Amino acid sequence: MASERDDFDYPRDDKSRRPRSYRRDEEDGDERDDFERRPRPAPPREGNGMATASLILGLLSACFGPTTGIVAIILGIIGYTKSSNSGGEIAGKGKAIAGIALGLFFTVMIVPILLYAVKHVRMTANMAKSTNNCKQILVGFHAYNDVNDRIPEPYVIDEQMNVNRDLSWRVSLLPYIEQDNIYRSIDLSAEWDSPENLKYTTMYIPTYSPPYLGRLDNQTPYRSFVGQDTVFDFSRKVQINRIPDGSSNTLIFVETTDTVPWASPQDIPYKRGMNFPSFGPASGRHFLVAMADGSVKRMRKSVSPQIIHGLITINGGEPVNEED
């Protein structure tokens, strides 16, 4: 009985007098409680491929342009949303933000440069086409000069040698720019917009219409100066090889901002000291000048008026300094 009391008759709060086996079980329980209370390490977060791809494409957009940047922005938004909705279990929020920022930056920076480059290429191509048109017209002038021993009059001369001031020199030039069928269909004694002529004078002629006009109609920017001492001086016979100032120093027509129907005699009346109309395409810095020697020159719109006056007159004797 004494041994049983030794084993079980003890104060409940005195752990030192409890049986050894009981104390060991209690100590093990305390360790388990400590383990359960110890903070557990967070599980590894899942990767975010969208965010990584956004960052890579954002960097590549510096080389490959706005298309790559836009894709980087889209993937970055998807990656950021995916990370936010997962409660932090999916990584990559920082990569997504960086990808979006890079995509936006290079897109905003590159788009204006690309737009300027495209505009410049388009303007260059349009000027090349317009230059080719001017050269074809000049070939027509030289062919007319060879056949008639003079350049065309400012207005049409009909079959009875009557002057028709209602038709432009551009009508006279039609047979020499491969438009003989239209020329033969026009009544040379009637007005350009008469009922019998309107069907033909409203036709689109590619040689008279540069591509930058953006329409297929009868409008042309190629106009001449008409008046005393010009190549279109109706009071005299002008031959290309007998221009006093020389064919390389004399213009035949210019490219103006305002357009007119190619059959209409709406050229530019010339007087010394006059104010010139606006030259060239409205969006460009240059305009074209078709010279009597068959060359086409590109000039700045800021060219000195004295130079234009010198090119217009055929016997002014002015020194002409060309400007690009």
Side-chain angles (χ1 to χ4, degrees):
M1 294 298 292
S3 60
E4 290 180 1
R5 282 194 301 268
D6 290 341
D7 288 339
F8 297 102
D9 190 9
Y10 54 85
R12 293 184 180 275
D13 58 349
D14 189 359
K15 295 182 179 181
S16 59
R17 298 187 58 186
R18 296 177 185 178
R20 185 178 302 167
S21 59
Y22 188 92
R23 291 200 308 268
R24 186 166 53 250
D25 293 340
E26 190 178 54
E27 290 173 358
D28 291 343
D30 292 340
E31 290 179 359
R32 284 193 297 270
D33 292 340
D34 292 341
F35 179 79
E36 290 175 358
R37 290 191 297 269
R38 190 180 306 162
R40 298 180 181 180
R45 292 190 295 174
E46 181 183 345
N48 194 335
M50 291 292 185
T52 303
S54 173
L55 178 60
I56 294 173
L57 291 176
L59 293 171
L60 292 177
S61 63
C63 301
F64 297 102
T67 302
T68 305
I70 292 172
V71 176
I73 294 170
I74 295 173
L75 294 180
I77 293 173
I78 296 173
Y80 183 87
T81 304
K82 183 179 179 181
S83 179
S84 298
N85 293 339
S86 67
E89 296 179 1
I90 299 178
K93 186 178 293 186
K95 293 181 180 179
I97 294 174
I100 294 171
L102 289 170
L104 285 171
F105 176 78
F106 289 116
T107 299
V108 171
M109 290 292 293
I110 293 175
V111 166
I113 297 174
L114 290 178
L115 291 177
Y116 175 80
V118 170
K119 180 181 178 181
H120 180 73
V121 170
R122 184 181 294 114
M123 289 178 60
T124 302
N126 287 337
M127 179 162 284
K129 177 59 177 175
S130 187
T131 300
N132 186 60
N133 286 352
C134 292
K135 289 182 177 180
Q136 292 184 44
I137 296 172
L138 288 173
V139 169
F141 265 98
H142 280 259
Y144 187 102
N145 183 85
D146 293 342
V147 172
N148 300 279
D149 198 28
R150 63 165 299 160
I151 68 169
E153 292 81 354
Y155 310 108
V156 164
I157 305 296
D158 65 18
E159 296 176 355
Q160 285 73 40
M161 301 303 295
N162 297 317
V163 178
N164 184 355
R165 293 179 178 269
D166 294 313
L167 287 174
S168 168
W169 56 266
R170 288 175 287 268
V171 175
S172 300
L173 217 61
L174 289 174
Y176 303 94
I177 59 171
E178 300 180 354
Q179 300 294 337
D180 189 58
N181 289 337
I182 297 178
Y183 178 78
R184 293 180 182 278
S185 300
I186 294 176
D187 184 351
L188 301 181
S189 63
E191 299 177 355
W192 76 271
D193 56 353
S194 62
E196 57 268 38
N197 281 339
L198 202 58
K199 175 181 178 180
Y200 307 104
T201 57
T202 54
M203 287 185 173
Y204 166 71
I205 297 180
T207 305
Y208 288 152
S209 181
Y212 63 77
L213 295 182
R215 55 185 188 268
L216 305 180
D217 56 16
N218 66 338
Q219 296 294 302
T220 182
Y222 307 130
R223 303 168 67 193
S224 294
F225 291 93
V226 178
Q228 187 177 1
D229 295 330
T230 71
V231 293
F232 287 105
D233 185 346
F234 197 73
S235 65
R236 67 172 70 187
K237 177 181 179 179
V238 178
Q239 299 169 297
I240 289 179
N241 56 346
R242 294 184 181 180
I243 295 176
D245 283 350
S247 60
S248 62
N249 294 321
T250 305
L251 66 81
I252 291 183
F253 63 90
V254 296
E255 185 182 38
T256 62
T257 304
D258 294 332
T259 62
V260 298
W262 58 262
S264 175
Q266 299 182 44
D267 287 296
I268 308 165
Y270 176 71
K271 291 182 179 180
R272 290 183 180 273
M274 66 175 288
N275 293 324
F276 295 120
S278 178
F279 294 128
S283 59
R285 298 180 180 178
H286 298 83
F287 67 99
L288 298 178
V289 177
M291 307 298 292
D293 65 351
S295 64
V296 179
K297 300 184 183 300
R298 187 185 72 164
M299 291 192 169
R300 293 186 182 275
K301 292 183 178 180
S302 59
V303 63
S304 169
Q306 286 73 23
I307 292 178
I308 302 298
H309 281 290
L311 293 175
I312 292 172
T313 56
I314 62 175
N315 59 352
E318 307 96 337
V320 178
N321 297 318
E322 299 177 7
E323 293 186 10
D324 182 22

